[in-house]
Amino acid sequence: MDDLKQKYLSAIADAGDEATLEELRLQAVGKKGEVSLRMRALGKMSPEERQVAGPALNALKDEINSALAAKKSALADAALDERLRTEWLDVTLPGRGDRHGTIHPVSQVSEEIAAIFANLGFAVAEGPQIETDWYNFDSLNIPPHHPARQEFDTFYMHRDAGDDRPPHVLRTHTSPVQTRAMEKQGAPIRVIAPGRVYRSDYDQTHTPMFHQVEGLAIDRDISMANLKWVLEEFFAAFFEIDGIKTRFRASHFPFTEPSAEVDIQCSWVDGQLKIGEGDDWMEVLGSGMVHPNVLQAAGVNPDEWQGFAFGMGIDRLAMLKYGIPDLRAFFDSDLRWLRHYGFASLDVPTLHGGLSR
């Protein structure tokens, strides 16, 4: 017993780091350690032998554990002393300022879009996010059999039994704002309608709640040529690249006729998207000349007035401009993610008043 005690107490005293100390603990008092094995052998001894060996083994175990704890504390103290000796702090250096409040990419891009279109003569119009079925669909020439009106694409509001009010939905686009703006202001009119919209979809490129901006211009002699010029001016200002080429492809939307998908020039170099150069094209929005039925539903005479409309995703524009790969990151990330992409608090006025921080 004395040999075992001397063996481990000497080894513990000579241990130079915590890894060696832990190895000694396992060898001595671990489940398969020498002291533990001897304690298990007590059952094979006679009562007289146990009366002698039992207290001695317990005392040895306690002494080894005490030596281990003391050595561990001594090693920690030595490590701290070494850090204090080698590390230093210059208290005369200026402190790090706290960065409170970070503008979200969607908010920043919304402000950028509004500022660009304001320079082009467009006002900002807003409307409710809970819309009637009529404003969201019927006024926009979307018939009852259209797929967008099915419950698997649209969030319909719950209605109690006996509720005779018109059906209400979470708006699927900001186009209803265009109808409301024409009802209120009439023609001529130039507005954009940024805001939240909702659809039953969720994956890497779709979320149940996202953001759109739609534009509307109504006058007596507006044409697709005016639409093309406005969009090209917007792309040049937003992406800060002059001469971005656009491509209009024939499409179909119930609320415009003719309708067109709009692509912008781009290229992929080593997996990186570059806007405004190359031989590839990327779809960014839908557009067209406002359908006469939409004008008539808003109280505007289609025999006297005509115009164009367009709609694009604010979230997607932010992804393209700032290289953000996953739409879902807009809604489940923290300040570190925002700062990674360079979004910081801005001391500038916002659309809704006050400072953007």
Side-chain angles (χ1 to χ4, degrees):
M1 197 80 68
D2 290 338
D3 292 341
L4 200 60
K5 174 181 176 180
Q6 185 62 37
K7 170 185 175 182
Y8 283 108
L9 292 182
S10 298
I12 291 171
D14 295 336
D17 52 58
E18 289 195 19
T20 303
L21 205 60
E22 175 64 12
E23 187 177 343
L24 289 170
R25 185 191 70 80
L26 293 174
Q27 292 175 6
V29 294
K31 289 184 178 180
K32 297 182 180 180
E34 289 189 70
V35 177
S36 300
L37 292 176
R38 291 199 181 190
M39 293 185 76
R40 291 178 190 174
L42 289 173
K44 299 178 181 179
M45 298 180 183
S46 65
E48 294 78 12
E49 291 174 326
R50 281 200 299 273
Q51 288 180 354
V52 176
L57 285 171
N58 282 326
L60 176 60
K61 182 178 179 181
D62 290 342
E63 193 170 356
I64 290 175
N65 281 330
S66 297
L68 288 167
K71 185 63 176 181
K72 186 174 182 179
S73 178
L75 288 173
D77 289 343
L80 179 59
D81 289 340
E82 178 64 17
R83 285 188 62 191
L84 292 173
R85 187 181 65 81
T86 57
E87 296 180 4
W88 60 277
L89 175 66
D90 187 350
V91 296
T92 65
L93 290 174
R96 296 186 182 93
D98 291 334
R99 300 173 64 185
H100 297 293
T102 301
I103 191 168
H104 194 275
V106 172
S107 299
Q108 179 165 317
V109 169
S110 297
E111 300 290 339
E112 293 174 4
I113 291 171
I116 293 169
F117 279 109
N119 290 333
L120 296 173
F122 287 77
V124 174
E126 296 182 323
Q129 296 180 39
I130 298 177
E131 269 291 9
T132 65
D133 198 57
W134 187 86
Y135 274 109
N136 198 75
F137 296 122
D138 294 283
S139 73
L140 299 168
N141 201 38
I142 300 177
H145 60 270
H146 194 279
R149 300 185 74 149
Q150 306 306 312
E151 292 187 3
F152 55 78
D153 283 324
T154 302
F155 292 105
Y156 281 83
M157 307 302 293
H158 174 73
R159 303 175 70 190
D160 292 329
D163 188 346
D164 295 329
R165 291 178 301 171
H168 283 69
V169 301
L170 293 179
R171 65 183 183 188
T172 59
H173 43 191
T174 56
S175 298
V177 179
Q178 299 178 5
T179 301
R180 291 179 176 273
M182 284 190 285
E183 284 182 336
K184 182 179 179 180
Q185 181 177 328
I189 186 174
R190 272 187 286 181
V191 294
I192 60 167
R196 294 186 182 93
V197 296
Y198 306 84
R199 294 181 190 174
S200 302
D201 207 350
Y202 185 72
D203 57 32
Q204 187 174 4
T205 57
H206 300 86
T207 53
M209 186 277 288
F210 54 104
H211 302 81
Q212 276 189 345
V213 58
E214 306 206 14
L216 172 73
I218 303 295
D219 214 320
R220 297 189 185 277
D221 298 313
I222 287 184
S223 68
M224 290 285 285
N226 302 122
L227 168 65
K228 186 173 187 293
W229 179 85
V230 166
L231 293 178
E232 288 182 344
E233 288 294 306
F234 167 74
F235 292 139
F238 181 75
F239 291 108
E240 301 177 35
I241 300 172
D242 292 330
I244 296 180
K245 294 181 181 178
T246 59
R247 182 177 69 175
F248 282 59
R249 290 181 291 106
S251 186
H252 168 72
F253 304 111
F255 29 81
T256 53
E257 180 60 40
S259 303
E261 302 277 6
V262 180
D263 306 331
I264 57 174
Q265 178 188 19
C266 69
S267 69
W268 290 92
V269 179
D270 297 327
Q272 183 178 3
L273 175 66
K274 293 190 176 182
I275 303 293
E277 61 180 61
D279 300 322
D280 292 328
W281 298 93
M282 174 172 289
E283 176 189 330
V284 287
L285 60 88
S287 66
M289 299 298 292
V290 180
H291 198 289
N293 291 348
V294 176
L295 295 174
Q296 197 163 16
V300 175
N301 187 347
D303 294 328
E304 296 182 24
W305 305 94
Q306 63 186 32
F308 62 75
F310 57 85
M312 48 190 157
I314 295 176
D315 315 85
R316 187 154 183 264
L317 288 174
M319 294 172 69
L320 291 176
K321 183 170 182 176
Y322 295 104
I324 300 169
D326 194 322
L327 180 63
R328 294 168 293 189
F330 285 124
F331 308 106
D332 58 8
S333 299
D334 57 23
L335 291 176
R336 292 169 295 179
W337 173 82
L338 294 173
R339 289 167 182 157
H340 170 75
Y341 285 101
F343 293 93
S345 56
L346 300 178
D347 295 314
V348 295
T350 71
L351 272 176
H352 308 291
L355 297 180
S356 62
R357 84 165 61 240

